[in-house]
Amino acid sequence: MKKLAFAALAACLAGAPALAEEVTLRGVSAFAGGTTFSRPFEAFVAHVNEIGKGVVQIDYVGGPEAVPPFELGNAVSGGVVDIANDTSAFYTNLVPTGDALHLATNTVQEQRANGCFDKIDAIHQEQMNAKFLARTGDNVAFHLYLTKPIEGPDLSGLTIRTTPVYRAMFEALGATLVRTAPGEVYTALERGAIDGYGWPLQGVMDLGWDEQTKYRVDPGFYQVDVNILVNLDRWNGISDEARAVLQQAAEWVEAKNAENIAINAEEASKQAGAGIEVITFSPEDQAKWLATSQEAGWAGVAAVDAAIAADLKACLVE
Ligand code: 173
């Protein structure tokens, strides 16, 4: 090993192209291993480890037990973690306009084609020292889940578990909000500390929340963003070949976002099987629900940075 490093250094000094050594990146997910929103990342890791042999490998260290979800942004920003699977809602401390990402109505493929992806990447590079490598979660909407029924889009008197994803909307509809990591939702429900929670259509059953959930409010709103981020210094320090492997695997995992449409249908029927009833509002109330989600969501981003909000809205909402 030492000899090899010396040989590489010598080759480098002699001006000859150095034999790039295989690099290993330490990877962590903000979601528990094997659960819905870690799955695309886990497939990405397996793919990189297959196509990147001799060039780049990922050592998947683990999930929230390795790094607490709301700390993962700092960990990848500072280089404690090289590559992270994280949602923008968990790192708003670093990229406060990241809330725009879940307001997208188009796909990541469209965002790559219309230049939006590069803008989002530039914001991540500048504000959190991270390369925005890939986005998963397209086609999966968020919902409100409840332990008691509601009649319409009035959440006053309800205490709801939230993350920045739902904050602006649920606040506008009068809810009292408590932010928790996913790992704390079950206990909060069990203790009656919350009357419900925001969560995507997929994954409710992963941590047993169906046992404590009576209702899902339809329609869903927004679109999940679970992103693969690489520490920028690490990204800049690896070979072109390693970066190309990661880019290729990024677009490969993004192509799998289309599978979410079929998975959504399976999940909805599993929830029904677990006894979760669907609350559907009147057409006027549905319109209010959805209009509030968009208006409150974009107002929240504009309050942070009006110029970025306008720029991203133009390429995320088509
Ligand atoms: O509800 C959440 O914890 C959240 O914000 C989220 C975001 C993306 C996927 C899953 C959950």
Side-chain angles (χ1 to χ4, degrees):
M1 177 68 197
K2 257 194 186 145
K3 256 188 190 163
L4 204 89
F6 182 76
L9 183 71
C12 221
L13 292 176
L19 256 181
E21 277 190 63
E22 179 184 275
V23 292
T24 300
L25 305 177
R26 281 166 52 84
V28 173
S29 176
F31 298 92
T35 63
T36 301
F37 296 104
S38 285
R39 235 168 263 145
F41 180 64
E42 288 163 359
F44 166 89
V45 169
H47 191 65
V48 167
N49 289 348
E50 192 185 311
I51 67 169
K53 284 198 177 81
V55 179
V56 57
Q57 297 286 286
I58 298 172
D59 174 17
Y60 180 30
V61 180
E65 75 290 352
V67 179
F70 298 134
E71 285 300 319
L72 186 55
N74 291 331
V76 71
S77 172
V80 172
V81 162
D82 297 316
I83 186 161
N85 180 57
D86 203 357
T87 179
S88 57
F90 294 177
Y91 57 84
T92 44
N93 59 316
L94 297 168
V95 184
T97 53
D99 276 336
L101 269 63
H102 63 254
L103 303 176
T105 58
N106 56 6
T107 63
V108 69
Q109 287 79 16
E110 287 165 328
Q111 291 156 26
R112 283 188 185 272
N114 73 9
C116 214
F117 192 96
D118 288 342
K119 289 180 181 184
I120 293 165
D121 182 20
I123 292 169
H124 281 73
Q125 295 204 17
E126 199 178 304
Q127 299 187 352
M128 83 180 288
N129 193 44
K131 164 75 188 166
F132 187 84
L133 186 66
R135 172 174 176 154
T136 71
D138 282 358
N139 308 307
V140 185
F142 293 89
H143 289 258
L144 171 62
Y145 297 86
L146 293 166
T147 58
K148 44 177 92 152
I150 52 169
E151 306 265 294
D154 176 6
L155 307 180
S156 53
L158 296 174
T159 302
I160 305 293
R161 174 269 173 185
T162 188
T163 67
V165 168
Y166 330 88
R167 186 177 294 146
M169 171 186 180
F170 291 174
E171 215 166 59
L173 297 171
T176 300
L177 303 176
V178 211
R179 188 187 85 155
T180 83
E184 292 151 29
V185 172
Y186 187 91
T187 312
L189 284 167
E190 202 179 24
R191 292 196 183 137
I194 52 174
D195 303 307
Y197 57 91
W199 192 260
L201 180 59
Q202 299 181 16
V204 166
M205 258 97 102
D206 285 342
L207 303 176
W209 303 345
D210 49 308
E211 290 167 23
Q212 307 284 340
T213 306
K214 293 217 171 66
Y215 305 97
R216 182 184 78 241
V217 177
D218 278 7
F221 46 89
Y222 303 152
Q223 181 165 237
V224 167
D225 68 283
V226 177
N227 311 310
I228 303 180
L229 309 174
V230 186
N231 172 270
L232 191 57
D233 303 305
R234 197 76 168 118
W235 174 257
N236 288 332
I238 59 178
S239 66
D240 288 347
E241 206 185 351
R243 278 195 294 264
V245 166
L246 295 171
Q247 291 277 19
Q248 192 188 323
E251 296 194 33
W252 174 87
V253 77
E254 286 174 350
K256 292 166 75 66
N257 289 346
E259 296 170 11
N260 281 327
I261 294 165
I263 300 173
N264 287 341
E266 284 166 26
E267 286 274 328
S269 86
K270 277 192 217 156
Q271 286 183 17
I276 299 177
E277 287 175 40
V278 175
I279 294 175
T280 313
F281 298 149
S282 68
E284 304 83 71
D285 281 347
Q286 282 190 35
K288 181 179 176 193
W289 184 245
L290 293 177
T292 307
S293 71
Q294 282 297 313
E295 284 158 21
W298 281 112
V301 183
V304 175
D305 189 318
I308 289 183
D311 199 24
L312 292 183
K313 191 173 183 183
C315 61
L316 289 174
V317 180
E318 290 187 325

